[in-house]
Amino acid sequence: MIIRMKQLVARVGMSESTIRREIEAGNFPSSVAISKRLIGWRTQDIDAWEASRI
């Protein structure tokens, strides 16, 4: 399953700008292209990231 930014922000409790900074720093899963203009994140990647932070 793929979630969009709004859902991601609600799930991880971080702002969009913080998520983007963490992606650039290599500390957060990268997005995937849903279509030419849409991006999202794989829930399994977010699950793994959350598990690594516990």
Side-chain angles (χ1 to χ4, degrees):
M1 188 166 143
I2 294 179
I3 60 174
R4 301 285 311 278
M5 179 60 84
K6 186 175 180 180
Q7 297 166 308
L8 183 62
V9 166
R11 179 172 171 171
V12 301
M14 295 165 48
S15 69
E16 183 175 340
S17 59
T18 300
I19 291 170
R20 293 193 187 284
R21 273 195 309 270
E22 292 297 310
I23 291 169
E24 288 181 23
N27 299 325
F28 197 85
S30 296
S31 60
V32 295
I34 298 171
S35 70
K36 194 172 187 176
R37 296 181 54 156
L38 297 175
I39 62 166
W41 285 261
R42 290 184 201 97
T43 54
Q44 61 266 31
D45 293 344
I46 302 306
D47 292 340
W49 176 81
E50 288 175 328
S52 74
R53 298 185 49 90
I54 296 175

